[in-house]
Amino acid sequence: MAHFAAQEARDGVRFTWNIWPSSKIEATRSVIPCGSVYTPLKNCTPGPLKYEPVRDRRSGCVLNPWCPVDFQTKQWTCPFSNSRNNFPPHYAQAISETNLPAELIQQYTTVEYELPGKFNGPPIFLYVVDTCFHTEEDLDELKDSLHQSLAFLPETALVGLISFGKMVQVHEVGVADIPKSYSLRGNKVYSPAQVSEMLGLIPRGRRRPGQPVPTPAEAAARFLLPVEQAQFSMEQILDDLQKD
């Protein structure tokens, strides 16, 4: 167990299973769905790799230390699809057993990529809080941890909040005086279009002539705001959360 704890501390990743199912049949027999908890903004070695990841053409798997490499033919094998892939020319020219790219080094089991020429806006942190606790003390400890986490977010980050128990509450973080949220039943299945319409992210019903239609960004701004603008509302909402 100490080995797993050390690896989780290094990578900032925890999986529900340590072995990935090798077939659809094995996947259906898994009692717990495969999933992971990832620590955002964790300082990993090496830093962000400033180039495109090398992917398997069939599965989309990214080149990693568990991919078998044939240094003679300059090919690598995807452990998921078992298909062989040629290295890109700039890899093939220099790769060898003693000269590996960062993503193939055994110690670097978690790497992040900073894709050149691509900017998708500020990072978004959507807090999803389970309010089903045995005691109020447990919930208070969670609230305290969430309060502290807000201080560590980048200034440019957008934040939002969803809480859930028997009901799912989507909170508006742009309202400071009177907290407002939208409730969805936990035992009912909603389509994405229904949720978008309920939250006002898409126009609902007929509009009067001349009535402005908010853009998706304007509609979403009620639920996602920069940390500096949303912090007071977020802290107030977190303080008011009750055990379900």
Side-chain angles (χ1 to χ4, degrees):
M1 291 300 295
H3 167 71
F4 289 113
Q7 186 167 336
E8 289 175 351
R10 181 186 66 194
D11 293 342
V13 181
R14 170 174 293 180
F15 288 89
T16 53
W17 288 101
N18 296 315
I19 299 176
W20 191 272
S22 59
S23 66
K24 290 184 178 180
I25 295 178
E26 287 188 7
T28 58
R29 292 173 179 170
S30 297
V31 179
I32 301 175
C34 288
S36 66
V37 179
Y38 178 73
T39 305
L41 303 180
K42 182 175 177 61
N43 292 324
C44 293
T45 302
L49 306 181
K50 299 181 184 298
Y51 49 82
E52 295 275 354
V54 177
R55 296 180 179 272
D56 172 49
R57 62 181 182 276
R58 289 180 57 191
S59 68
C61 171
V62 173
L63 182 66
N64 63 78
W66 288 277
C67 296
V69 175
D70 187 331
F71 294 102
Q72 297 296 323
T73 61
K74 308 297 184 180
Q75 292 181 319
W76 63 280
T77 302
C78 172
F80 293 100
S81 66
N82 289 322
S83 59
R84 292 173 66 87
N85 301 269
N86 294 319
F87 280 109
H90 61 286
Y91 273 65
Q93 289 174 1
I95 195 169
S96 68
E97 294 183 15
T98 57
N99 186 30
L100 296 173
E103 59 266 42
L104 279 178
I105 297 176
Q106 290 294 328
Q107 291 85 350
Y108 302 157
T109 47
T110 293
V111 297
E112 291 187 344
Y113 290 88
E114 188 175 299
L115 303 183
K118 295 184 179 180
F119 179 72
N120 296 319
I124 297 175
F125 294 85
L126 183 59
Y127 286 65
V128 182
V129 182
D130 186 350
T131 57
C132 297
F133 284 88
H134 292 293
T135 65
E136 290 288 350
E137 289 75 14
D138 291 337
L139 180 58
D140 289 339
E141 289 182 6
L142 174 62
K143 291 179 183 180
D144 184 60
S145 296
L146 296 177
H147 278 301
Q148 295 181 44
S149 70
L150 290 172
F152 293 100
L153 298 182
E155 295 181 358
T156 58
L158 303 181
V159 292
L161 176 63
I162 295 174
S163 59
F164 67 94
K166 293 180 181 177
M167 303 285 289
V168 177
Q169 308 286 339
V170 183
H171 300 271
E172 286 194 9
V173 295
V175 182
D177 298 330
I178 303 177
K180 181 179 179 182
S181 64
Y182 294 78
S183 298
L184 292 83
R185 291 170 54 186
N187 60 354
K188 182 178 179 180
V189 177
Y190 299 87
S191 68
Q194 287 176 314
V195 175
S196 296
E197 186 174 321
M198 292 173 63
L199 299 181
L201 300 178
I202 59 176
R204 185 175 184 176
R206 300 183 62 182
R207 290 181 173 269
R208 297 190 300 272
Q211 185 178 3
V213 178
T215 65
E218 292 172 339
R222 293 179 293 124
F223 307 101
L224 293 170
L225 282 176
V227 178
E228 186 175 328
Q229 299 179 33
Q231 186 166 356
F232 179 79
S233 295
M234 289 276 290
E235 292 177 345
Q236 185 179 11
I237 295 169
L238 289 172
D239 287 338
D240 292 339
L241 290 180
Q242 302 294 319
K243 180 174 72 71
D244 199 330

